Amino acid sequence: MTTPFPKSPTFSTIDEPFRFEGDLYDLEIEGQIPPELDGTFYSVGPDQAYPPKMGDANPFNGDGFVRAFRINNGFCDLKLRYVMTDRLRAEREARRGLFGEYRNRYTDDESVQNVNRAVANTNVVHHNGKLLAMKEDQNPYALDPYTLETLEQYTWGGQMEATSFTAHPKIDYETGEFIGYSYAAKGEATDDIAIYSFDKHGNKTWEIWFKSPYPGMIHECAISENYIILPLMPQVMSDERIRRGGILFQWEPSLDQVYIVCPKGGDAGDVRFFHAPNAMPGHVVNAFDDNGKLYLDLPVALDNVFWFFPDKDGKFPPPGSFGTEVTRWCFDMNDKNSQASPNVISTMAAEFPHCDDRYVGKPYKYGFMQASDPTQPYNPERAGPIMGFFFNTFLTMDMSTGKADTWFCGDTSSTQEPVFAPKSANAPEGDGYVLGIVNRRDENRSDLAILDAMNMSEGPVANIKLPVRLKYGIHGNWVPASALA
Ligand code: V55
Ligand code: FE
């Protein structure tokens, strides 16, 4: 390539483009990897392979780059691969960036008007023998879970006709049912929503279509035994704006959050809309229902956290200037009143949650998250300036009390989303390990930390040292070897 990457915050410090694919066998281990851990920790994040066509880049616009830590018998190997999207192929062939702004096809090069612009950078989910690399504006790509070779762009064999699919599907542990949705389901900025469900073999078992109250972002979903919930956030799309070369999303402080609830297997007419005051619903911890009362746990940011999607005046609140509330919403399905009732569990700035996957949709106790703890020190002289999202703590939260068992990663480090791995398939809830990447910002490299989920404050039982850095990732999952076999 002949154009350098811009020296902008998005492309600086430990988050400079990495672009290097490879395999690292037998990583160096401090402490001991619990011998019962057997599986793969997959995650993905954006790693823009070519400099943006114009100016700086949106941090969510990079090419999907997958990291797979294979853990077995106390040892760990790592595989790093790009998702070989049509877009990345086209750019490699041209040896330059051809795609424009985040979700704005009007800014793409003439030569790629008919090339799919999926980047598959937000989550990697294993289902029915495939590893799906997902981003909410396009269909996922299917990868081989062992080699990470990219197989095809995936529409469940043509059963899924929406133009996009969420990066946050939910899987029922017992039945293997895979539930997800599409927003902007008839093309970018449309107000169409579709909900889909597939059985453990990938056969479609449910599909409904309906209109969104406003064409906003729906980043996540939750399932309970009887319902699916889609939190709609006041980040609103406009086709007219992107045609003018603007940004797809705009923060709308006058709009409510809306929790869209549908009984599983229901019709479009069964969909209900529960309103709550303007704020930004974050990532789902879990949901469950009990006698017509539906509960949803998730952190809610009290203002816009996406500084790259500001309001109509281009304004955004400085990060850290407003609170995050880990909230348990209650939706009374037997009551016609469509107000959502909040119950704040914790005011920690905790995000990127997982629950124990075996309890998805069921009454449960524990959430595993990372948090930004402002009371802990940070050493910018050694670790460099902080750009964008920043987390420094892994934690297990008792969701019935909000009490958190925490581990601070140190004043020259930052964390990435942790996952939970149970000790065995029938271990009690929470009896297992939290695994998360820690960026050693002063050393320009990363570690994988493994902590006892019920004893976080003790610190890692194993610290797996990498000779390379892993840029900020977005989401990942632990897949036990038994599920991969
Ligand atoms: C999110 C992430 C995205 C995206 C939209 O975390 C929302 C939220 C990494 O890409 O495109
Ligand atoms: Fe997400």
Side-chain angles (χ1 to χ4, degrees):
M1 71 174 70
T2 52
T3 325
F5 280 93
K7 294 265 172 281
S8 65
T10 319
F11 293 122
S12 297
T13 68
I14 200 159
D15 291 322
E16 261 185 71
F18 183 64
R19 305 178 71 237
F20 189 84
E21 301 177 277
D23 295 276
L24 281 153
Y25 291 100
D26 245 332
L27 295 167
E28 187 183 343
I29 302 159
E30 294 169 337
Q32 197 191 2
I33 298 179
E36 66 271 27
L37 267 185
D38 189 7
T40 304
F41 171 28
Y42 295 101
S43 64
V44 66
D47 194 335
Q48 189 145 347
Y50 286 87
K53 270 179 67 200
M54 52 269 266
D56 196 6
N58 179 300
F60 289 171
N61 206 24
D63 301 280
F65 186 83
V66 178
R67 304 87 64 93
F69 292 91
R70 175 74 181 102
I71 294 175
N72 172 251
N73 195 26
F75 297 102
C76 182
D77 304 321
L78 173 64
K79 206 178 262 301
L80 303 171
R81 292 286 188 284
Y82 270 115
V83 184
M84 275 311 301
T85 58
D86 296 12
R87 167 184 180 136
L88 181 55
R89 270 181 210 289
E91 293 194 332
R92 280 195 179 170
E93 207 158 293
R95 293 188 180 276
R96 67 187 178 94
L98 299 171
F99 290 82
E101 294 294 311
Y102 175 85
R103 293 174 64 171
N104 186 342
R105 65 195 160 87
Y106 304 111
T107 57
D108 293 347
D109 193 88
E110 278 299 321
S111 65
V112 290
Q113 292 298 315
N114 296 315
V115 179
N116 187 283
R117 67 195 315 281
V119 286
N121 69 10
T122 310
N123 202 357
V124 268
V125 177
H126 183 262
H127 189 250
N128 189 28
K130 296 195 165 59
L131 186 68
L132 301 177
M134 318 184 91
K135 185 182 183 72
E136 65 197 42
D137 66 329
Q138 292 284 350
N139 297 327
Y141 273 83
L143 315 186
D144 180 306
Y146 297 97
T147 63
L148 299 187
E149 184 196 350
T150 300
L151 304 172
E152 57 172 339
Q153 200 166 21
Y154 195 64
T155 58
W156 287 266
Q159 296 179 91
M160 206 280 296
E161 286 176 10
T163 57
S164 61
F165 198 82
T166 179
H168 286 288
K170 293 291 173 288
I171 299 172
D172 182 298
Y173 183 78
E174 248 138 70
T175 63
E177 184 188 23
F178 177 104
I179 303 189
Y181 63 93
S182 166
Y183 76 95
K186 291 188 177 171
E188 205 61 286
T190 58
D191 61 358
D192 301 276
I193 298 173
I195 299 178
Y196 286 95
S197 160
F198 302 93
D199 67 17
K200 64 178 173 192
H201 305 297
N203 298 310
K204 184 167 67 183
T205 51
W206 181 38
E207 173 176 2
I208 57 167
W209 287 76
F210 57 96
K211 289 283 183 184
S212 187
Y214 55 80
M217 178 187 283
I218 304 173
H219 181 62
E220 258 275 31
C221 74
I223 56 170
S224 68
E225 190 186 344
N226 295 299
Y227 298 95
I228 175 168
I229 312 165
L230 312 180
L232 171 65
M233 58 168 94
Q235 276 289 0
V236 181
M237 301 174 280
S238 155
D239 182 63
E240 192 262 312
R241 203 164 43 236
I242 54 175
R243 274 177 194 277
R244 283 191 278 111
I247 303 172
L248 177 67
F249 286 105
Q250 183 171 288
W251 177 253
E252 296 290 353
S254 65
L255 292 177
D256 283 351
Q257 324 166 54
V258 183
Y259 292 88
I260 302 170
V261 179
C262 186
K264 281 181 180 167
D267 303 321
D270 299 326
V271 176
R272 291 185 59 185
F273 302 93
F274 289 84
H275 284 248
N278 183 268
M280 191 155 172
H283 287 105
V284 165
V285 190
N286 200 5
F288 55 95
D289 67 77
D290 179 24
N291 271 317
K293 289 228 166 51
L294 171 60
Y295 299 93
L296 166 67
D297 296 348
L298 83 180
V300 178
L302 300 180
D303 209 324
N304 174 23
V305 300
F306 293 157
W307 68 91
F308 37 83
F309 303 143
D311 69 11
K312 67 175 186 349
D313 303 316
K315 290 215 173 67
F316 54 89
S321 67
F322 54 92
T324 299
E325 296 179 337
V326 181
T327 303
R328 175 163 291 178
W329 294 99
C330 180
F331 312 103
D332 189 344
M333 302 309 294
N334 297 322
D335 190 334
K336 292 261 171 309
N337 173 0
S338 287
Q339 286 298 314
S341 324
N343 178 17
V344 174
I345 296 172
S346 165
T347 54
M348 279 184 88
E351 246 292 356
F352 291 88
H354 276 261
C355 67
D356 184 326
D357 287 338
R358 299 169 298 166
Y359 288 77
V360 169
K362 297 189 173 77
Y364 77 114
K365 186 160 180 192
Y366 296 112
F368 312 97
M369 317 180 197
Q370 59 179 344
S372 193
D373 182 349
T375 68
Q376 294 288 5
Y378 183 74
N379 185 335
E381 287 78 39
R382 286 181 55 206
I386 294 169
M387 315 287 184
F389 301 113
F390 175 79
F391 296 93
N392 58 11
T393 298
F394 288 140
L395 64 111
T396 296
M397 187 176 286
D398 179 335
M399 302 302 292
S400 62
T401 61
K403 202 172 169 319
D405 177 12
T406 65
W407 175 68
F408 166 58
C409 69
D411 71 354
T412 55
S413 299
S414 56
T415 57
Q416 303 195 21
E417 181 195 68
V419 295
F420 172 78
K423 281 186 182 159
S424 70
N426 18 343
E429 183 189 355
D431 186 19
Y433 300 96
V434 167
L435 292 80
I437 293 167
V438 179
N439 286 346
R440 304 298 181 195
R441 306 171 70 94
D442 53 335
E443 299 175 29
N444 208 29
R445 49 162 217 94
S446 305
D447 289 340
L448 176 67
I450 301 179
L451 298 97
D452 180 342
M454 294 293 109
N455 230 326
M456 297 293 285
S457 58
E458 296 264 292
V461 297
N463 183 59
I464 303 172
K465 293 188 77 169
L466 312 190
V468 294
R469 72 192 154 88
L470 299 178
K471 274 169 65 83
Y472 64 92
I474 309 287
H475 299 292
N477 288 283
W478 170 258
V479 183
S482 56
L484 285 167

